[in-house]
Amino acid sequence: MVFVTSHFGAGSAINRPDIVDLYASVNITIIKADLLRYMVMYAEGGVYADIDVEALKPVERFVPARYATGNGLAGIDMVVGVEIDQPEFRDHPILGGKCGEGAGVGVEDVVLDFDEVISGTGPSAFTAAVLAEMNAAVPEGGEEITWDTFHAMDESKVVSRVLVLDVEKFAAGQGHSDSGNHNARGALVKHHYHASNWPSKHPRFSHPAYGEVERCNWDAACVKKWDEDVEAYKLLSAEEQNKIIEQRSNLDGHKMELARKEQEKAAALERLVQAVKRQEEEAKQRANDAVQEAHGGQQQQNQPAFGFGDPPPVQLPQAQFGAPPPVQLPPPQQPQQPQGGFPPGGWPPQQQQEQQQQPPAFPPPQM
């Protein structure tokens, strides 16, 4: 409340005390949240996204390069993105307020209903306000700007200083509006649609027999079938209507039971797979332990408790292998001196000297 008063109260730069009074009078949490985010963006600027939105690209990629300049965004006051592009449903009693133009529900008249929240302060109301602001900038006699201006856009465009991004940028993967998927090159964010529980407090319209039309996810054939069933239901008597409700309830219960059993089967299969993996890992570990115990026991005993260094020498027990027998060498033999000539291997040094001094003895010549 301090933020609202300081930025929008009497005497502030914006000076809209009526907005402060309106905000203070609202008691519905989601309505106050919608109003506050609009006021923060108006007063401070910046980027807004729901808490369950995941950025797929950096924020600087949110604006096409052709619109960015060295001084910021040239001629652009606001950047928005298409979320639902199904104008063929604009006259639908339920979907009409969600497909581009609001249903004109005033804040003071909003009650605990999903569709009125959407149309009162949510995306539909925001879309209507943006279109009104765009048309305020159109010169007199100019063409009116409607949702048709943005239907089936192939690329982003700037209209009345508002950059409107195509549906793939902020709303990829919805399954409708030709939004593509999150793997598309142009997708900037991924909206998980599960962070908030406010719809549980503001339920959608749910037909007693045929449920919510939103389950069709904007599929034309499904929506048409839902509309036909609802109109036919109105023509039935109360007894026939109750019979249809009972049949649909039994059918829905049967579908839910089948879905529950499928979930149980999937869970059981997953548990089995995990159990098999654990058994394989345990068997592998036991085999590794057995190999280490068989081949590394002795080495493990000789290893120090901690630290590094050379391993100690391996001491082989003598009792196992026995002491080596002594080597028996033959006694040295004195070489026999021949009667004449040189002994094998030559003379010893002293005798060699004496022999050199004495002339060799030759046998007398034979006559």
Side-chain angles (χ1 to χ4, degrees):
M1 194 65 193
V2 174
F3 176 89
V4 176
T5 302
S6 61
H7 286 79
F8 293 86
S12 65
I14 301 176
N15 194 26
R16 289 293 302 272
D18 57 321
I19 293 180
V20 178
D21 294 340
L22 174 63
Y23 185 80
S25 65
V26 174
N27 295 319
I28 303 174
T29 303
I30 185 60
I31 302 300
K32 295 182 79 74
D34 283 340
L35 294 176
L36 181 60
R37 73 188 72 181
Y38 294 143
M39 286 187 282
V40 171
M41 292 296 294
Y42 184 84
E44 301 286 352
V47 178
Y48 171 79
D50 286 346
I51 195 173
D52 60 343
V53 171
E54 172 189 356
L56 301 178
K57 301 289 192 305
V59 174
E60 53 266 24
R61 294 276 299 275
F62 285 15
V63 177
R66 62 183 181 274
Y67 298 117
T69 66
N71 298 323
L73 303 180
I76 297 176
D77 294 332
M78 182 168 59
V79 180
V80 297
V82 175
E83 181 178 15
I84 298 176
D85 185 19
Q86 303 283 170
E88 63 270 27
F89 295 108
R90 70 179 67 200
D91 296 326
H92 193 274
I94 297 175
L95 299 177
K98 303 181 178 71
C99 63
E101 302 177 20
V105 180
V107 166
E108 66 278 4
D109 298 323
V110 172
V111 294
L112 298 180
D113 177 89
F114 179 92
D115 299 314
E116 288 184 325
V117 170
I118 294 295
S119 299
T121 58
S124 296
F126 178 71
T127 300
V130 170
L131 290 175
E133 188 70 15
M134 289 178 174
N135 280 298
V138 174
E140 185 177 355
E143 185 178 354
E144 181 185 7
I145 300 172
T146 66
W147 186 255
D148 294 335
T149 308
F150 309 102
H151 174 54
M153 289 195 310
D154 293 328
E155 60 180 12
S156 305
K157 63 174 66 175
V158 176
V159 178
S160 300
R161 301 182 64 85
V162 177
L163 172 59
V164 182
L165 303 179
D166 61 83
V167 67
E168 187 180 68
K169 297 297 188 292
F170 288 164
Q174 298 181 105
H176 60 76
S177 303
D178 196 21
S179 58
N181 58 68
H182 298 119
N183 297 323
R185 184 177 181 180
L188 300 175
V189 301
K190 180 178 182 179
H191 198 167
H192 294 275
Y193 296 103
H194 59 58
S196 175
N197 66 343
W198 75 265
S200 64
K201 301 178 180 179
H202 306 272
R204 294 178 172 90
F205 171 76
S206 180
H207 190 272
Y210 301 108
E212 302 169 357
V213 69
E214 286 85 357
R215 292 181 181 179
C216 291
N217 198 29
W218 302 91
D219 179 77
C222 180
V223 173
K224 180 180 179 181
K225 180 67 166 58
W226 189 90
D227 291 341
E228 292 173 350
D229 289 341
V230 170
E231 290 301 317
Y233 179 87
K234 295 178 182 178
L235 302 178
L236 300 176
S237 64
E239 182 180 355
E240 291 173 326
Q241 290 179 352
N242 291 334
K243 186 176 181 180
I244 292 293
I245 293 174
E246 183 179 358
Q247 291 175 349
R248 298 286 302 181
S249 177
N250 292 336
L251 179 60
D252 291 342
H254 179 65
K255 290 180 179 179
M256 292 177 60
E257 180 64 18
L258 291 177
R260 184 186 65 80
K261 290 182 178 179
E262 290 298 325
Q263 291 177 352
E264 290 180 351
K265 288 181 181 179
L269 180 60
E270 179 64 21
R271 289 193 297 269
L272 178 61
V273 170
Q274 295 300 326
V276 171
K277 288 183 178 180
R278 286 195 300 269
Q279 291 178 359
E280 291 177 348
E281 292 174 357
E282 292 172 359
K284 185 177 180 180
Q285 186 62 43
R286 287 195 298 269
N288 291 338
D289 294 344
V291 170
Q292 292 179 1
E293 183 178 356
H295 298 285
Q298 184 65 36
Q299 294 181 2
Q300 292 176 2
Q301 293 177 5
N302 293 328
Q303 292 295 328
F306 58 88
F308 301 95
D310 295 329
V314 178
Q315 302 293 334
L316 300 178
Q318 295 293 330
Q320 180 177 356
F321 298 97
V327 179
Q328 300 295 333
L329 299 178
Q333 298 180 358
Q334 296 295 332
Q336 297 181 359
Q337 181 176 346
Q339 295 180 357
F342 297 95
W347 298 96
Q350 183 178 0
Q351 294 182 4
Q352 183 177 6
Q353 185 178 3
E354 294 176 353
Q355 187 67 22
Q356 291 176 354
Q357 295 176 357
Q358 299 179 2
F362 294 99
Q366 300 292 328
M367 301 300 293

